[in-house]
Amino acid sequence: MGGRTDMGKAHLTRRALLGGATAVALGAATGTAAAAEVPALWREFTRTPFTHPQIPYIGRAGCHGGAACFPRRPAVADVTDFGAVPDGTTDCAPAINRAIAAAGRAGGGTVTIPPGTFRIDGLIRVADSNVVVRGAGSDRTKLYATKNLTELIGVYGSRYGGDKSAWSWAGGLIWLTPQARWDSLVAAIGARAWPFEGWTGNRRDEWTTLTTVEPARQGSWTLTVADSRRLRPGQLVLLRLADDPDHTLLEHMSGGGPGPQAYYWDDKTKLTSYVPYEWPVRVTRVHGRRVTLERPLPLDVRPEWDPRLTTHVPELTGSGVEGLTLEAVETPQSPHLLDKGYNGVVLQCAYDCWLDDVTVRHVDNGFGLVAASACTLRGTRVSGRGSHHPYFCREGSHDNLIEDFTIEERTVPAPPNTQLHGINVEGLSSHNVWSRGDMRMGTFDSHRGLPFANVRTDITVNNNGRHGGDASAGPLFGARFTHWNVRVTNGRAGLMRIDGLAPYSATVGLNTVTEFDQTDVPDFAGDLHSRLELYGTTDAVRPRNLYEAQRGL
């Protein structure tokens, strides 16, 4: 595996952190225009990188802690040897899936897809760990999809009622999820028992306790557990935090204080359905009752939240898709929330997985992270007739990295009664990063559900999308949202400048923007304790990219 392999940072001194971070910031500032500035917020962050009140620590977001290179697995199958033909007319989905399944039976490896256009009348599934599907490049290998998920699997309704299609926010024509999870989801859809989609099964009851956990503070890399006998290095566990009757966990996710304490949580039934909070993390060391984690704690661990480490549904890990384009047959975009499921690529119950150099075209929804964590999407692109969610991150997805991404301008006008969102995050998802983006349409979407501690950095955006979210899903933002070096080409403020919306947030290095027709009011009353620095500038903030600078720590 390429990239850095250091798994723990707890041994670093504050002096080392400060010195390295300052070198990154000032090194970036030298040799640039005189207007370049290092904001006070960055200097503060380098002193308290794991516990800063406005800026989250996201320096280990992504696959294998943000490794620069993905694992290179030996080629074990070529789809043409299983009957795939790049003629654009033969249905190659069965052959491609046979090749993928053979790689899974072999214990992993790379499945190659040569240049050409391969028609698929079914969806492509990666259901085994350590299996990589690799095309010859997104400009050379194309999968041409002719059917949607409603045709292939069936009608998928919302578990919250109404006539909405869950294919508006779930599922992909390339779907990376473990076999058992796939089987249970499809069975539930067939039975019209609309499932939860996360790490603990359709009814969130597929887990057992490994050990209870003693109190700890946000930012700690270690836990003290009651019994470590069922824990081992390399093991993926869930940290599970339940809420109490006073909703102090939700208040903590919102930064605490009078505003969140005064907020009325009890009728936010969609939001409260996402609790307990489930955070997947690998154990790196077990020493007596002391357990070291590969990432610092995202929240405090308090006894009133019944903290415990638990099992989960078996994960998909070490798998990826590289170097191809998925193009759906071009159809008009469906009315809002009635998508048929011409969806792109989705990772679900996946950890340490990746996409690299993948384009989707003419899709309802582009790239999805559904209860997926520690995954990297690099060099991805959404193009074609226009989409509902170009990127969606939901159902408790954490620590993911989306970098070098592009949302192209739609090629046809939007039909009536459709909506465009953008880079979405919702459902208690936390510590996700969007970095180095070119958004020619869309917005920084929140669908409510109290996402917290997420970062958007070094992005150019034509801010013409709208956010969604049902009122029962609660606040748009939790604490520690950061927008850092954002260039808004059309001057619209909505969801770009968030110092008046998000509690304990930071907006740094944003050009001047003004409100437009979707003007939001803050969910929490009183002082939001949010920060605004270098407002009215373009590319003046140093470090230019917050994620890369945190990697420099």
Side-chain angles (χ1 to χ4, degrees), residues 154-380:
V155 173
Y156 187 2
S158 169
R159 66 176 182 257
Y160 299 105
D163 59 356
K164 303 170 185 175
S165 168
W167 298 128
S168 301
W169 57 78
L173 292 170
I174 300 178
W175 201 330
L176 290 82
T177 193
Q179 184 67 47
R181 195 70 187 100
W182 161 266
D183 291 341
S184 66
L185 287 166
V186 170
I189 294 167
R192 304 180 71 85
W194 314 131
F196 282 88
E197 299 151 287
W199 285 100
T200 48
N202 295 344
R203 298 183 180 180
R204 301 196 71 186
D205 58 359
E206 295 180 39
W207 59 274
T208 58
T209 297
L210 297 170
T211 181
T212 56
V213 179
E214 293 186 6
R217 297 300 300 272
Q218 172 202 325
S220 174
W221 295 75
T222 61
L223 290 171
T224 300
V225 300
D227 184 351
S228 64
R229 287 177 296 177
R230 299 181 67 184
L231 303 177
R232 66 184 188 280
Q235 180 181 5
L236 186 69
V237 298
L238 285 186
L239 173 64
R240 193 172 191 269
L241 301 178
D243 206 1
D244 61 9
D246 293 328
H247 299 296
T248 60
L249 176 61
L250 296 177
E251 292 174 6
H252 177 53
M253 292 173 175
S254 305
Q261 289 172 7
Y263 186 80
Y264 189 72
W265 301 96
D266 286 341
D267 63 348
K268 308 305 186 293
T269 52
K270 187 172 183 179
L271 171 62
T272 54
S273 76
Y274 297 138
V275 182
Y277 174 77
E278 295 170 337
W279 182 60
V281 66
R282 286 200 196 279
V283 172
T284 63
R285 186 169 185 261
V286 180
H287 182 70
R289 295 196 298 125
R290 297 287 288 175
V291 177
T292 304
L293 308 175
E294 67 174 334
R295 290 177 172 84
L297 289 175
L299 295 165
D300 287 353
V301 173
R302 301 179 186 173
E304 56 265 36
W305 302 331
D306 189 25
R308 55 190 63 221
L309 298 180
T310 76
T311 62
H312 48 82
V313 297
E315 72 273 14
L316 184 76
T317 188
S319 294
V321 175
E322 304 174 351
L324 58 81
T325 288
L326 172 67
E327 180 176 319
V329 59
E330 187 171 359
T331 59
Q333 186 177 345
S334 296
H336 189 227
L337 296 176
L338 297 178
D339 294 349
K340 296 181 177 66
Y342 290 106
N343 294 350
V345 188
V346 164
L347 296 95
Q348 185 163 3
C349 296
Y351 196 95
D352 279 337
C353 292
W354 67 92
L355 308 177
D356 187 21
D357 182 28
V358 177
T359 294
V360 296
R361 183 175 295 126
H362 303 321
V363 292
D364 292 337
N365 302 281
F367 295 94
L369 295 158
V370 182
S373 293
C375 295
T376 297
L377 279 60
R378 181 177 296 158
T380 55

Side-chain angles (χ1 to χ4, degrees), residues 79 82 92-103 105 122-126:
V79 298
F82 290 79
C92 298
I96 294 172
N97 283 323
R98 285 195 297 269
I100 294 171
R105 289 192 299 272
L123 58 88
I124 303 302
R125 293 199 299 113
V126 178

Side-chain angles (χ1 to χ4, degrees), residues 266-520:
D266 286 341
D267 63 348
K268 308 305 186 293
T269 52
K270 187 172 183 179
L271 171 62
T272 54
S273 76
Y274 297 138
V275 182
Y277 174 77
E278 295 170 337
W279 182 60
V281 66
R282 286 200 196 279
V283 172
T284 63
R285 186 169 185 261
V286 180
H287 182 70
R289 295 196 298 125
R290 297 287 288 175
V291 177
T292 304
L293 308 175
E294 67 174 334
R295 290 177 172 84
L297 289 175
L299 295 165
D300 287 353
V301 173
R302 301 179 186 173
E304 56 265 36
W305 302 331
D306 189 25
R308 55 190 63 221
L309 298 180
T310 76
T311 62
H312 48 82
V313 297
E315 72 273 14
L316 184 76
T317 188
S319 294
V321 175
E322 304 174 351
L324 58 81
T325 288
L326 172 67
E327 180 176 319
V329 59
E330 187 171 359
T331 59
Q333 186 177 345
S334 296
H336 189 227
L337 296 176
L338 297 178
D339 294 349
K340 296 181 177 66
Y342 290 106
N343 294 350
V345 188
V346 164
L347 296 95
Q348 185 163 3
C349 296
Y351 196 95
D352 279 337
C353 292
W354 67 92
L355 308 177
D356 187 21
D357 182 28
V358 177
T359 294
V360 296
R361 183 175 295 126
H362 303 321
V363 292
D364 292 337
N365 302 281
F367 295 94
L369 295 158
V370 182
S373 293
C375 295
T376 297
L377 279 60
R378 181 177 296 158
T380 55
R381 178 180 295 263
V382 181
S383 66
R385 50 89 156 154
S387 54
H388 180 194
H389 295 98
Y391 290 82
F392 55 98
C393 177
R394 51 178 296 271
E395 203 80 12
S397 291
H398 313 292
D399 303 301
N400 297 293
L401 171 63
I402 302 94
E403 63 180 358
D404 298 313
F405 66 96
T406 301
I407 302 173
E408 293 186 1
E409 186 176 358
R410 64 188 312 135
T411 54
V412 297
N417 303 315
T418 61
Q419 277 201 25
L420 163 67
H421 297 307
I423 53 174
N424 159 252
V425 60
E426 61 178 291
L428 301 185
S429 296
S430 66
H431 295 84
N432 301 289
V433 182
W434 292 260
S435 171
R436 295 196 306 265
D438 178 9
M439 296 177 59
R440 301 168 199 171
M441 64 177 192
T443 194
F444 290 178
D445 180 30
S446 166
H447 268 38
R448 300 189 177 273
L450 200 66
F452 67 93
N454 297 284
V455 168
R456 285 87 170 235
T457 183
D458 195 8
I459 297 172
T460 300
V461 53
N462 178 32
N463 185 26
N464 62 358
R466 300 174 67 88
H467 76 73
D470 189 277
S472 67
L476 283 166
F477 303 100
R480 304 193 310 285
F481 251 83
T482 300
H483 291 173
W484 187 283
N485 191 20
V486 176
R487 304 166 292 274
V488 183
T489 60
N490 63 349
R492 288 186 168 183
L495 300 180
M496 303 289 125
R497 179 176 172 175
I498 56 174
D499 58 296
L501 286 176
Y504 288 92
S505 67
T507 304
V508 182
L510 173 71
N511 58 287
T512 303
V513 291
T514 56
E515 296 291 351
F516 68 113
D517 59 317
Q518 188 175 48
T519 302
D520 292 296

Side-chain angles (χ1 to χ4, degrees), residues 20-41:
T22 302
V24 170
L26 297 181
T30 59
T32 61
E37 296 184 50
V38 179
L41 267 166

Side-chain angles (χ1 to χ4, degrees), residues 7-21:
M7 299 302 293
K9 298 289 186 181
H11 64 285
L12 292 180
T13 66
R14 193 169 82 174
R15 178 179 296 177
L17 288 168
L18 177 59

